[in-house]
Amino acid sequence: MVGSSHEALHRIFQKDPALLTRALQRVLHVPFPEPREIAALNVDLTEIEPVERRVDTLLRAETDEGTYLLVVESQGKVDDRKRGSWPYYLSYLYEKYRCEPVLIVITQNSATARWAAQPIRLGFPGWHSLTVRPLVLGPDNVPVITDERQAERDVPLAVLSAMTHGRGPRAAPILESLATALKTIDPDSAAVFVQFVDSCLADPQAKQMWRDLMTAIQYFWRHPLAEQVREEGREQGLEEGREQGRAQAKAEMVLRVLEWRGIPVPEHVAERVIGSDDPAQLELWAQRAVRATYAEDLFAEE
């Protein structure tokens, strides 16, 4: 189970390694050659005990122009210790694999992105013994994907967009387009992507909206986060009257989705939704809430 945004931000490239080269080519406009094959490698860079060094994600890309090691580091904040560890990682990997290493840093923070993009120069001015130039993916260059068709064309890139930008006023359209796109891929992959996004959403309102959207399309309850939520419910005494509690929770979720999408909910609509105890009916209304223009659209075909 992915438990943090740090882990999710680099593990998405383990789930879909080709996303990394697409990001380099399309987002950073780096003419990285098209890989024939990409394989995940052991991330443990430990040399001698007790010093232990690990990169976040390490991939090997075989291309017509040569073999490259793609070193992915998820960075949450400015950390000047990386001035020493990143050059170490690259030189160690080159020595071990005799392949050209490429450092890619991914972050959700613009200030951290600007810091990470600064070249690391070791040596004295005018004669640097070693220069490290990280490639950085962050809020300032990862595209904001709010169009459903665009999200469907490249679901992993849409997931990266949600993980990078899923906060503030832009969260709703990004998460809604991704929720729709997830229905076009296999359920197992979708469930993994759902967890990645959930781990990266620091804004409580955006996280709750995401979980409501996933409940509406029946993905949320398929992945490990669901057990955590169910356990929280049991601790609060919600096991008793379970069916009634589920219906009430789903009804409230339908209204929250409308509210977060900025759709006014008249009193008669709210009363009808809250008054329903039919799980199938509430499930249908939840799916309609994701696309509705007006609150009454919930009942349009009834």
Side-chain angles (χ1 to χ4, degrees):
M1 177 177 175
V2 178
S4 68
S5 60
H6 176 278
E7 189 174 2
L9 279 169
H10 69 84
R11 278 191 55 190
I12 185 175
F13 297 112
Q14 297 176 12
K15 173 64 179 173
D16 186 350
L19 171 63
L20 186 57
T21 57
R22 293 201 302 277
L24 293 178
Q25 296 163 352
R26 302 177 190 176
V27 178
L28 297 179
H29 306 293
V30 173
F32 191 86
E34 194 66 32
R36 294 193 307 271
E37 178 185 356
I38 298 182
L41 303 180
N42 191 333
V43 299
D44 190 351
L45 304 186
T46 304
E47 190 166 8
I48 56 174
E49 296 293 347
V51 178
E52 182 176 310
R53 300 180 187 270
R54 293 176 183 269
V55 297
D56 289 332
T57 285
L58 180 61
L59 305 169
R60 181 173 57 207
E62 303 285 352
T63 78
D64 291 335
E65 300 177 19
T67 301
Y68 295 90
L69 298 176
L70 305 180
V71 184
V72 185
E73 284 283 282
S74 174
Q75 194 68 27
K77 60 182 180 180
V78 173
D79 183 357
D80 288 332
R81 291 176 300 177
K82 299 297 184 180
R83 177 178 169 83
S85 59
W86 284 345
Y88 171 86
Y89 295 164
L90 300 183
S91 59
Y92 175 86
L93 288 168
Y94 180 78
E95 177 65 20
K96 180 176 181 178
Y97 293 101
R98 291 296 171 177
C99 301
E100 298 294 340
V102 180
L103 175 62
I104 300 102
V105 179
I106 180 166
T107 180
Q108 295 174 292
N109 183 278
S110 294
T112 302
R114 290 191 295 271
W115 162 81
Q118 297 175 5
I120 300 172
R121 297 185 175 94
L122 303 181
F124 60 88
W127 194 272
H128 300 117
S129 301
L130 177 65
T131 299
V132 175
R133 297 180 61 194
L135 297 167
V136 181
L137 293 167
D140 297 329
N141 54 22
V142 172
V144 177
I145 297 179
T146 58
D147 179 75
E148 294 176 5
R149 293 185 181 86
Q150 185 181 1
E152 291 171 3
R153 284 195 295 269
D154 195 336
V155 174
L157 184 60
V159 173
L160 183 62
S161 176
M163 295 195 303
T164 308
H165 300 287
R167 62 181 68 184
R170 294 185 296 184
I174 293 173
L175 297 179
E176 288 168 10
S177 64
L178 177 57
T180 300
L182 286 175
K183 293 187 286 187
T184 66
I185 65 175
D186 71 275
D188 290 337
S189 292
V192 174
F193 288 143
V194 166
Q195 191 176 345
F196 286 162
V197 175
D198 191 276
S199 297
C200 285
L201 293 175
D203 181 354
Q205 188 175 33
K207 184 184 287 284
Q208 186 60 54
M209 180 184 182
W210 179 243
R211 292 186 174 187
D212 288 344
L213 287 168
M214 293 302 97
T215 301
I217 62 174
Q218 298 180 328
Y219 277 132
F220 178 73
W221 299 106
R222 299 187 56 205
H223 69 75
L225 287 169
E227 183 57 36
Q228 175 185 339
V229 174
R230 285 194 287 267
E231 183 62 30
E232 291 172 357
R234 283 193 287 270
E235 291 175 358
Q236 296 169 10
L238 296 182
E239 271 308 319
E240 187 174 346
R242 182 171 52 191
E243 292 301 326
Q244 181 180 357
R246 285 176 178 170
Q248 181 179 354
K250 185 161 289 189
E252 292 174 351
M253 181 269 294
V254 172
L255 299 179
R256 281 202 303 270
V257 170
L258 292 174
E259 177 186 350
W260 281 323
R261 296 188 63 226
I263 299 175
V265 181
E267 186 175 347
H268 71 277
V269 173
E271 289 178 352
R272 183 171 176 182
V273 172
I274 294 296
S276 175
D277 59 1
D278 182 349
Q281 181 69 77
L282 290 166
E283 181 65 37
L284 177 61
W285 289 345
Q287 294 176 18
R288 291 178 180 172
V290 176
R291 293 178 172 271
T293 303
Y294 302 100
E296 288 81 358
D297 290 346
L298 299 180
F299 322 125
E301 300 177 12
E302 299 172 18

